Structure formats: C-alpha cells, structure tokens
Amino acid sequence: MECRQIIEKIEERYPRRYAMEWDNIGLQAGRTKKEVKRILIALDVDDATVEQAVSGNVDMLVTHHPLIFKPVSWINDEDFIGRRLLKLIQNDISYYAMHTNYDVLGMADLAGEMLQLKNPQVLEITNTEDSLEGIGRVADLEIPVTLEECAGWVKKVFSLPGVRVFGEPSQKITRIAIVPGSGKGFIGQALEKKADVLITGDIGHHEGIDANAQDMAVIDAGHYGIEHIFISDMEKFCSDNFPELEVQVMKIQHPFWIA
C-alpha cells in the first residue's frame, strides 16, 4: 500500500477542511508513492519518536502535533527541527500530521466518551459548511460530583500522575466542559455554556484564578495528559482500515515529571 492511499483513507474520515486556518497538516516530509508496510503512531515528533521510527524500520510516521507549524528558511543539522526532518528523509520515512482536523472530528468526542459524558454538545463551533462541528465538548452530569471527585476521575480515566486544580475541593460540579490540549483560549466559551468546570491543559496562573473569580473551576490535566489518547485511537483506526500493515506506537511518556 502506498503512502498516498493511507492519507486518502485518513482524510476520508478526518477531512482537511475541518482544520483551523492557522494549522499546518498533511504530508510534511517524504514521498506520496512510498510503499508502506510499517507505520508508527505518536503524539509528537521529538527525538525519541524519530529514533523509534528509524530503529523500527517504519515506512510512515503519523503524528497529531505537526513538526512544521510555520515556513522554515532552511533544513540542516544545526537546528533540531532540521535534524529530525533530515533523519526522516534520509531513512525514506514519509511523515504525516493530522492536528486540528482530528481535534474537531475525533479528540473531543473520544475524551467525552472516556469521561462517560451523556449527550455532549460542541463547545465552540468551527465548521458550519456541512456540519456543526468544532472544538471541545460540554455536557451535564447525570449525578453531581464534587470538584475533588471530578479531578480524581480525570486522573483515573487518562492515567495521569496528577492534575492541577483551580477551585474549592467541595465545589459542586453538575456541568463539565472539556478541551483536550491547550484550552485557555476557550475559558470564555465554557463560561458562556455555564460549565462548572473546564477540563483542559496549559492553564496559567491568571487564567485559573480569573476563571474561579467567575465561578468556574479548572482542572489542568496537561497538554499531553489528555491528548495522548490520539495514539491508541489511531492505532485502532490503522488496524481496522489497514490490516495488512504492521502498526507500531510510541509508549505513553509524559514530557515532565512531578517531584
């Protein structure tokens, strides 16, 4: 199977038109006609990912976060992005990124399902052309919980070593908003949808206390903390759609540790 055929199938399920305008998705390096027998799924393109792609003799690498976000002026071994691209190209590994199109059509629903949210709504609609799709989900809980109980549930569901919580432990939670990845730009939308808590990542000090001041708690599960579910989800997608391929995955490894 050629790389282009795999891309066609991925984009049939996660069309490029659902990605944000600022995003950079698609084939970022390599050949469309590359014959693919082994594929590696990862969240990020760090040095460890590139090394596993090479040592695992994979033909194609698929990640959530793009290695190239903005135009590059050069590709050489004096820059860490250049070194990664060079190694992928030298080893004839085709590299494909699927970012906010997956956020809109996969990540949010999957995270909501894992939290057992019932009848979730889109938090921020980003596509109105042929469907009301968008970033994040918001839903009412069938049984209210405390903020402390909610934080414990998030830790368990996403297998996290810990979360950062802005709010009182005993605060009553009846409505949840979730934005996998970086959600500080969606605090206003969560407040508008009357969420009692926003579950997301990359929340700064001021965003957290300002949300609290408006009676909304925040559970910061980290950017990687929720989005690592991309790996197992895409592993299943590839196994279901390309049974002839050998699918490898990067081990879940959080980018920081808690002392």
Side-chain angles (χ1 to χ4, degrees):
M1 176 174 284
E2 292 185 351
C3 173
R4 63 176 179 80
Q5 294 173 299
I6 295 172
I7 292 173
E8 286 171 4
K9 194 67 176 181
I10 290 175
E11 294 185 354
E12 179 181 311
R13 172 63 181 85
Y14 305 100
R16 295 172 64 93
R17 67 180 181 275
Y18 285 91
M20 303 296 100
E21 291 183 359
W22 50 262
D23 204 2
N24 187 32
I25 63 171
L27 187 66
Q28 297 204 341
R31 300 186 291 121
T32 58
K33 293 185 178 182
K34 166 73 177 181
E35 188 67 27
V36 178
K37 295 181 180 179
R38 298 184 185 89
I39 191 168
L40 173 64
I41 310 296
L43 190 71
D44 300 292
V45 190
D46 56 14
D47 291 339
T49 300
V50 175
E51 288 301 325
Q52 179 161 327
V54 174
S55 63
N57 294 314
V58 304
D59 305 296
M60 185 175 181
L61 169 64
V62 176
T63 71
H64 181 50
H65 295 138
L67 178 58
I68 304 172
F69 265 111
K70 299 178 181 179
V72 295
S73 300
W74 54 78
I75 298 176
N76 59 45
D77 62 358
E78 295 183 351
D79 173 80
F80 71 97
I81 292 178
R83 286 193 292 271
R84 292 169 186 171
L85 286 169
L86 282 171
K87 185 164 288 190
L88 290 172
I89 293 170
Q90 288 171 339
N91 287 276
D92 197 17
I93 299 171
S94 293
Y95 164 53
Y96 180 85
M98 46 188 298
H99 190 210
T100 51
N101 54 328
Y102 178 81
D103 283 335
V104 169
L105 296 172
M107 186 79 79
D109 275 335
L110 178 59
E113 289 170 7
M114 293 178 68
L115 287 174
Q116 300 179 11
L117 301 183
K118 304 297 183 183
N119 303 314
Q121 301 173 329
V122 175
L123 181 64
E124 173 73 359
I125 294 173
T126 58
N127 185 290
T128 59
E129 293 181 13
D130 50 10
S131 62
L132 300 179
E133 299 288 355
I135 300 293
R137 295 294 183 267
V138 60
D140 293 315
L141 297 180
E142 294 180 328
I143 301 175
V145 297
T146 66
L147 179 58
E148 185 173 23
E149 289 171 334
C150 186
W153 179 237
V154 171
K155 283 176 57 178
K156 180 179 180 180
V157 166
F158 298 107
S159 302
L160 304 174
V163 295
R164 297 169 61 241
V165 184
F166 294 87
E168 294 298 323
S170 60
Q171 181 177 339
K172 186 178 179 181
I173 303 298
T174 61
R175 188 166 171 80
I176 285 177
I178 182 166
V179 178
S182 181
K184 59 185 176 183
F186 296 90
I187 289 176
Q189 291 88 330
L191 287 166
E192 288 177 7
K193 295 292 178 68
K194 302 187 183 305
D196 297 309
V197 62
L198 171 62
I199 302 168
T200 189
D202 293 349
I203 295 295
H205 169 76
H206 294 291
E207 289 92 4
I209 63 173
D210 287 352
N212 277 183
Q214 298 172 83
D215 299 321
M216 185 177 72
V218 177
I219 297 175
D220 187 337
H223 196 124
Y224 186 96
I226 299 176
E227 287 198 328
H228 69 70
I229 62 179
F230 166 85
I231 299 174
S232 58
D233 192 40
M234 283 307 296
E235 178 186 18
K236 183 178 185 304
F237 177 88
C238 290
S239 296
D240 289 346
N241 288 277
F242 317 118
E244 67 273 32
L245 297 184
E246 176 188 318
V247 182
Q248 301 179 19
V249 298
M250 286 298 292
K251 179 182 177 181
I252 302 301
Q253 187 166 350
H254 297 273
F256 59 86
W257 57 279
I258 299 174

